[in-house]
């Protein structure tokens, strides 16, 4: 039997911050491995999903909507354009900027990425029931919203 001092030393293993970090590490590895299996990255998914949700956009707007920094956005758009998953065309309203659009091939790739994500979510959350998964996502959303608003 563990004595009290041994139990106290392991207390950090029960801290929510440590548990979130360790779980986030597992989630990141699972998603990265899933995307890698179909030669993709997380930024690819975010750009394709954002275009699917909002439609064509300038690179700057796409960056704001997807939360991808402009320095990463250019490289990501270049990768996706090389694979013909997005199309880059001059903006008719302002020829100095480009409008990025989702191609048919990009839509198919997005569906593959969504399938990978769903499988990885199931793997990550395997020990939780459907109700627990829903509640877990609600609690994480509540925490994130609080801190995104600048809460302490």
């Amino acid at each position: 039997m563990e004595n009290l001092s041994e139990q106290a030393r392991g207390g950090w293993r029960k801290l929510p911050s440590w548990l979130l970090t360790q779980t986030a590490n597992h989630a990141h590895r699972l998603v990265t491995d899933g995307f890698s299996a179909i030669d993709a990255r997380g930024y690819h998914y975010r750009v394709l999903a954002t275009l699917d949700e909002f439609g064509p956009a300038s690179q700057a707007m796409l960056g704001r909507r997807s939360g991808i920094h402009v320095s990463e956005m250019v490289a990501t758009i270049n990768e996706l354009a090389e694979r013909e998953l997005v199309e880059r065309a001059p903006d008719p309203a302002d020829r100095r900027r480009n409008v990025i659009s989702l191609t048919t091939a990009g839509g198919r790739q997005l569906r593959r990425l969504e399938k990978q994500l769903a499988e990885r979510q199931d793997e990550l959350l395997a020990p939780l029931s459907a109700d627990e998964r829903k509640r877990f996502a609600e609690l994480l959303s509540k925490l994130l919203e609080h801190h995104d608003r600048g809460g302490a």
Side-chain angles (χ1 to χ4, degrees), residues 10-27 124 136 140:
W12 58 269
R13 289 183 186 96
K14 291 184 174 70
L15 291 172
S17 56
W18 189 83
L19 294 167
L20 279 169
T21 300
Q22 298 308 304
T23 303
N25 289 339
H26 288 293
L124 177 68
F136 182 63
L140 288 173

Side-chain angles (χ1 to χ4, degrees), residues 122 125-138:
D122 283 344
L125 302 173
L128 303 179
S129 70
D131 287 342
E132 288 171 327
R133 289 178 186 205
K134 183 178 180 211
R135 184 67 181 141
F136 182 63
E138 288 168 350

Side-chain angles (χ1 to χ4, degrees), residues 31-41 44-45 48 83 85 108-117 119-120:
V31 170
T32 299
D33 289 351
F35 285 169
S36 181
I38 56 172
D39 195 28
R41 300 185 304 121
H44 295 171
Y45 170 73
L48 297 174
R83 298 175 186 187
L85 302 175
R108 284 192 301 269
Q109 178 69 346
L110 177 58
R111 300 291 96 71
R112 287 189 288 272
L113 291 166
E114 289 171 337
K115 184 175 185 286
Q116 283 292 329
L117 264 179
E119 290 171 3
R120 299 305 167 237

Side-chain angles (χ1 to χ4, degrees), residues 41-115:
R41 300 185 304 121
Y43 283 167
H44 295 171
Y45 170 73
R46 286 166 57 185
V47 167
L48 297 174
T50 300
L51 288 170
D52 187 57
E53 181 178 357
F54 294 102
S58 68
Q59 287 182 192
M61 180 60 74
L62 194 52
R64 285 190 293 277
R65 288 177 175 164
S66 66
I68 299 173
H69 191 272
V70 66
S71 62
E72 293 289 339
M73 181 57 71
V74 172
T76 302
I77 295 298
N78 288 342
E79 291 169 7
L80 293 170
E82 283 175 18
R83 298 175 186 187
E84 300 180 351
L85 302 175
V86 299
E87 185 176 78
R88 188 181 323 187
D91 184 341
D94 183 352
R95 299 241 182 263
R96 294 171 294 173
R97 70 177 173 199
N98 289 315
V99 173
I100 311 303
S101 302
L102 186 65
T103 65
T104 302
R108 284 192 301 269
Q109 178 69 346
L110 177 58
R111 300 291 96 71
R112 287 189 288 272
L113 291 166
E114 289 171 337
K115 184 175 185 286

